[in-house]
């Protein structure tokens, strides 16, 4: 097949999928993907989506209430640890599967929505050249966008990606949170929350506006549904005030006002709110009764950021709100966390501790793991330390400032676990033609 014909077939695959996606429920995605992928010689396309806790990959068949029933002769659930598809999910790189059969060889391809890891594809094809691999990445990109566009309104997606029921507070929290991974060439952001199926009072947020990246982390009082409602109101008031142009101190005052209006002084939340100027690296932040952030610099734990804390929001204690500023350096990693991370207790009633927490982040980053995979392993380490059960919510929000770049770089792609192809990079790691 000549290059012109392959170009035509590639466009046919893309236009067919995009056209079909507008009026297509999630359940029709597997059959629709297979139909249009045949144009570029893909004999089979299977879509596996990661569960909420990032332990397994589950086959999307389009059948049944969870859109995961009815597969014949295929593995419907794959472990992430210790498997080839798991490695693809962890590291974001395409890998071959078993030896070629009558229909061709299996290839495992990361399914990425931007930098958010949704799962993997298993593609069977007789092709084994650079163009075939390009087509695999392109197909994965389009399917990831379609999955993302359908999942918010799909109970089938929710059922498929859960291994057990969520409590009511967790149902609210996960619906409210932004994606757990974000990168744009200026920053790399990743977050993790546990217990995934029982989260109640923790919440995180991030957003961009021109050159400013906003970060916030909240820990609401309690470990019940009321804590989830408190966190929900806190995050909603934060976003509403921020989008009206309020500064950090004013945002926290408005949050406090909303909590007092709703609960009197019976409910409160601690939090860190920060704005990072990505042109200069200046970090502006306020502390409302929370653990101070940590900066990791040069591959080692640098320091706590010192800022006089005000009272928790909702207590109305009248302490002054201090607006603090710190200068970050390119490559600095800002870490916000809740006490469930550091105060989880293991055998002998010993806390996991801040030193162990930061050492874990430093060591795994030095191993070259993508940031989202480092955090996935971190929360599993905390759970293992606590024998699988946490008595408090444990949340971490991680932001690395890459410097005053205005385009996606090879460094940003590597941190997020993106293949350089997906980041649109040329061989020298600079942004090139897409």
């Amino acid at each position: 097949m000549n290059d012109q014909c392959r170009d035509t077939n590639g466009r046919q695959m893309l236009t067919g999928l995009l056209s079909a996606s507008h009026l297509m429920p999630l359940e029709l995605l597997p059959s629709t993907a297979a139909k249009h992928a045949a144009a570029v010689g893909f004999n089979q396309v299977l879509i596996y989506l990661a569960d909420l806790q990032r332990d397994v990959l589950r086959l999307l068949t389009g059948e049944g209430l969870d859109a995961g029933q009815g597969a014949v002769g295929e593995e419907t659930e794959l472990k992430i640890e210790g498997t080839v598809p798991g490695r693809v999910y962890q590291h974001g790189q395409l890998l071959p599967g078993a030896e070629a059969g009558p229909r061709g060889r299996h290839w495992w391809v990361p399914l990425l929505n931007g930098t958010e890891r949704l799962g993997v594809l298993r593609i069977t094809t007789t092709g084994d050249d650079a163009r075939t691999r390009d087509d695999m990445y392109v197909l994965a990109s389009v399917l990831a966008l379609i999955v993302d566009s359908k999942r918010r309104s799909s109970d089938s997606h929710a059922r498929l990606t859960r291994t057990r029921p969520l409590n009511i507070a967790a149902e609210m929290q996960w619906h409210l949170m932004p994606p757990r991974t974000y990168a744009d060439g200026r920053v790399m952001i990743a977050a993790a929350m546990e217990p995934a199926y029982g989260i109640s009072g923790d919440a995180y947020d991030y957003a961009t506006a021109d050159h400013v990246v906003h970060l916030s982390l909240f820990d609401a009082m309690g470990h019940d549904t009321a804590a989830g409602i408190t966190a929900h109101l806190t995050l909603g008031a934060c976003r509403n005030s921020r989008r009206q142009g309020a500064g950090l101190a004013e945002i926290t005052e408005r949050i406090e006002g909303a909590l007092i209006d709703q609960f009197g002084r019976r409910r409160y939340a601690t939090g860190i709110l920060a704005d990072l100027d990505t042109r200069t690296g200046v970090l502006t932040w306020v502390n409302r009764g929370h653990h101070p952030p940590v900066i990791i610099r040069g591959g080692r734990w640098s320091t706590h950021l010192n800022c006089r804390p005000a009272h928790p929001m909702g207590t109305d204690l009248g302490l002054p709100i201090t607006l603090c500023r710190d200068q970050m350096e390119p490559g600095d990693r800002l870490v916000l966390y809740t006490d469930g991370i550091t105060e989880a207790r293991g055998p002998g009633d010993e806390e996991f501790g801040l030193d162990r927490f930061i050492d874990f982040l430093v060591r795994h980053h030095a191993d070259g793991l993508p940031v989202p995979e480092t955090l996935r392993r971190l929360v599993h380490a905390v759970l293992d330390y606590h024998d699988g059960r946490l008595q408090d919510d444990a949340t971490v929000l991680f932001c690395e400032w890459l410097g005053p770049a205005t385009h996606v770089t090879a460094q940003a792609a590597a941190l997020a676990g993106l293949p350089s192809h997906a980041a649109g990079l040329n061989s020298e790691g600079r942004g090139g033609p897409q």
Side-chain angles (χ1 to χ4, degrees):
M1 186 184 299
N2 61 41
D3 288 344
Q4 183 176 0
C5 184
R6 295 185 73 170
D7 286 342
T8 300
N9 291 343
R11 286 196 296 272
Q12 180 181 339
M13 176 182 72
L14 286 177
T15 55
L17 271 172
L18 289 172
S19 177
S21 71
H22 295 298
L23 297 175
M24 178 182 66
L26 182 73
E27 289 78 4
L28 290 183
L29 184 57
S31 59
T32 305
K35 171 185 174 182
H36 292 285
V40 294
F42 294 164
N43 297 317
Q44 185 183 49
V45 176
L46 299 180
I47 303 169
Y48 285 86
L49 301 179
D51 77 302
L52 182 63
Q53 210 163 20
R54 305 313 194 225
D55 287 325
V56 297
L57 298 160
R58 289 185 152 183
L59 179 62
L60 176 67
T61 66
E63 301 292 333
L65 291 177
D66 65 354
Q69 300 175 19
V72 177
E74 304 295 348
E75 293 182 273
T76 57
E77 185 172 288
L78 306 169
K79 290 186 177 299
I80 288 177
E81 296 292 345
T83 66
V84 173
R87 286 173 55 200
V88 170
Y89 177 82
Q90 290 171 314
H91 298 278
Q93 300 297 323
L94 180 150
L95 288 174
E99 292 297 321
R103 303 181 68 185
R105 165 172 283 190
H106 300 326
W107 293 86
W108 295 99
V109 188
L111 192 63
L112 299 164
N113 175 42
T115 56
E116 184 188 10
R117 302 178 300 171
L118 301 181
V120 299
L121 301 183
R122 195 190 82 177
I123 297 175
T124 305
T125 180
T126 57
D128 189 8
D129 57 10
R131 181 55 183 268
T132 298
R133 299 183 190 197
D134 286 348
D135 287 339
M136 292 180 190
Y137 278 125
V138 168
L139 176 61
S141 296
V142 174
L143 291 181
L145 290 173
I146 295 173
V147 169
D148 182 61
S149 71
K150 307 297 180 184
R151 58 180 170 170
R152 288 272 180 179
S153 59
S154 173
D155 278 354
S156 295
H157 179 277
R159 291 187 176 105
L160 182 68
T161 56
R162 299 174 184 181
T163 60
R164 60 182 185 273
L166 271 68
N167 65 23
I168 295 174
E171 189 77 59
M172 294 190 300
Q173 295 304 81
W174 283 118
H175 186 74
L176 188 66
M177 297 300 106
R180 283 178 272 187
T181 311
Y182 172 83
D184 63 12
R186 304 169 301 174
V187 293
M188 168 64 211
I189 299 171
M193 298 177 71
E194 284 290 341
Y197 293 87
I199 199 78
S200 54
D202 282 7
Y204 71 86
D205 199 15
Y206 60 82
T208 65
D210 194 16
H211 57 275
V212 175
V213 173
H214 173 83
L215 306 160
S216 53
L217 184 71
F218 302 105
D219 185 355
M221 164 194 169
H223 310 109
D224 52 11
T225 303
I229 295 171
T230 304
H232 224 65
L233 180 57
T234 298
L235 191 48
C238 177
R239 287 175 175 168
N240 181 259
S241 302
R242 189 179 72 231
R243 291 165 181 172
Q244 293 180 34
L248 294 176
E250 184 181 356
I251 290 172
T252 67
E253 291 176 323
R254 292 188 183 186
I255 293 172
E256 177 155 73
L259 292 176
I260 291 173
D261 286 346
Q262 184 65 38
F263 302 114
R265 292 168 180 79
R266 300 184 303 276
R267 289 277 168 179
Y268 64 84
T270 67
I272 298 288
L273 291 83
D275 286 337
L276 173 63
D277 188 324
T278 60
R279 300 170 305 180
T280 64
V282 172
L283 180 75
T284 307
W285 61 290
V286 295
N287 184 344
R288 294 300 302 258
H290 201 82
H291 294 284
V294 172
I295 287 283
I296 301 174
R297 176 172 295 162
R300 60 184 178 84
W301 176 13
S302 178
T303 185
H304 283 105
L305 294 182
N306 294 316
C307 186
R308 182 185 297 275
H311 54 283
M313 294 165 287
T315 58
D316 197 24
L317 297 179
L319 298 178
I321 301 170
T322 304
L323 191 65
C324 297
R325 288 182 175 83
D326 288 274
Q327 179 64 54
M328 294 183 67
E329 299 178 4
D332 277 359
R333 300 186 288 280
L334 176 70
V335 184
L336 312 181
Y337 61 96
T338 61
D339 54 13
I341 289 281
T342 55
E343 296 178 7
R345 295 181 179 274
D349 205 36
E350 181 182 357
E351 290 185 349
F352 191 81
L354 183 60
D355 287 347
R356 194 192 313 263
F357 167 48
I358 299 301
D359 181 65
F360 189 100
L361 294 178
V362 170
R363 283 189 292 105
H364 282 72
H365 184 74
D367 291 341
L369 289 175
V371 172
E373 178 59 20
T374 295
L375 292 191
R376 190 188 75 87
R377 296 187 183 194
L378 169 69
V379 296
H380 281 77
V382 172
L383 284 169
D384 290 344
Y385 187 82
H386 204 53
D387 198 26
R389 297 180 64 86
L390 292 174
Q391 296 178 345
D392 195 3
D393 296 344
T395 301
V396 57
L397 180 62
F398 179 109
C399 176
E400 177 159 355
W401 181 51
L402 304 175
T406 57
H407 59 274
V408 177
T409 65
Q411 182 186 9
L415 285 167
L418 278 170
S420 59
H421 177 284
L425 307 174
N426 60 31
S427 60
E428 296 178 337
R430 297 190 295 268
Q434 300 291 318

